[in-house]
Amino acid sequence: GAGVSQTPSNKVTEKGKYVELRCDPISGHTALYWYRQSLGQGPEFLIYFQGTGAADDSGLPNDRFFAVRPEGSVSTLKIQRTERGDSAVYLCASSQGGGNTEAFFGQGTRLTVV
Amino acid sequence: GNSVTQMEGPVTLSEEAFLTINCTYTATGYPSLFWYVQYPGEGLQLLLKATKADDKGSNKGFEATYRKETTSFHLEKGSVQVSDSAVYFCALRGTGGYQKVTFGTGTKLQVIP
């Protein structure tokens, strides 16, 4: 597609459930980032992939959060045993490389844990 | 670590007013600086950027100058329009290979006719 695509756009889940959020980056982009944006805050870094490997996962808040990118394209962010505090907009971005190449953002997935 | 501080909103201006949104940063070396914009119902978009000291980024009538001496990257526009209503985020990316982007908390701008 022309831009970064994230699905679903909205997800409501019950506390304790497992969720998966999907990101389709721009074709050919090797770098992929996940961010989390809470209400009234700026995006907070979660994890960065270069190709298939997680080059930096220092932003993942705890071991309930995990992300994969098995073929170096689509990425899935997985959250186990969801908590109400996980409610936020999860943003994905991709770029042609690291360094100073521009990152393009998707519209995000709004996760609500009830 | 790296951090970005920007003025709190919301900022409400009349159409054709002058806009300044302040942004200061803390980082080692010479980071790249960005302004992103998020229009209602849309994703984050890069508005402008500057990669070295004294560079001026500009786009859609917006400007920001990379000031190393004051560690600032203030966003300005001479005459705002209703269509500029959005949330604006100042951000930086550190130097040296891969570096994640660090965002400020955002400033909501509302322009009234």
Side-chain angles (χ1 to χ4, degrees), chain A residues 33 35 42 48 56 99-101, chain B residues 32 46 89 93 97-98 100-101 104:
Chain A
Y33 308 81
Y35 285 80
Y48 158 68
D56 182 356
N100 287 323
T101 56
Chain B
S32 294
L46 179 65
F89 294 92
R93 181 179 233 163
Y98 152 73
K100 64 192 178 191
V101 177

Side-chain angles (χ1 to χ4, degrees), chain B residues 62-113:
Chain B
F62 290 90
E63 292 183 339
T65 301
Y66 189 142
R67 301 287 188 200
K68 179 70 174 174
E69 64 275 15
T70 54
T71 61
S72 65
F73 193 54
H74 304 321
L75 182 68
E76 297 182 334
K77 186 173 186 181
S79 176
V80 293
Q81 305 300 311
V82 172
S83 57
D84 294 327
S85 298
V87 181
Y88 293 82
F89 294 92
C90 186
L92 72 81
R93 181 179 233 163
T95 54
Y98 152 73
Q99 291 284 339
K100 64 192 178 191
V101 177
T102 300
F103 288 85
T105 54
T107 302
K108 183 175 182 178
L109 169 66
Q110 183 177 13
V111 181
I112 55 178

Side-chain angles (χ1 to χ4, degrees), chain B residues 9-72:
Chain B
V11 174
T12 302
L13 295 174
S14 297
E15 206 165 21
E16 298 184 2
F18 184 85
L19 168 72
T20 300
I21 300 178
N22 290 337
C23 171
T24 57
Y25 67 90
T26 301
T28 56
Y30 293 85
S32 294
L33 302 174
F34 307 88
W35 277 99
Y36 281 83
V37 59
Q38 191 169 33
Y39 297 104
E42 298 186 16
L44 274 172
Q45 301 175 26
L46 179 65
L47 179 61
L48 55 83
K49 67 178 182 182
T51 58
K52 61 183 186 295
D54 299 324
D55 265 3
K56 178 184 285 187
S58 61
N59 186 25
K60 299 183 180 180
F62 290 90
E63 292 183 339
T65 301
Y66 189 142
R67 301 287 188 200
K68 179 70 174 174
E69 64 275 15
T70 54
T71 61
S72 65

Side-chain angles (χ1 to χ4, degrees), chain A residues 20-35:
Chain A
E20 289 188 352
L21 311 179
R22 177 188 169 104
C23 172
D24 278 88
I26 293 172
S27 178
H29 281 192
T30 59
L32 186 145
Y33 308 81
W34 283 99
Y35 285 80

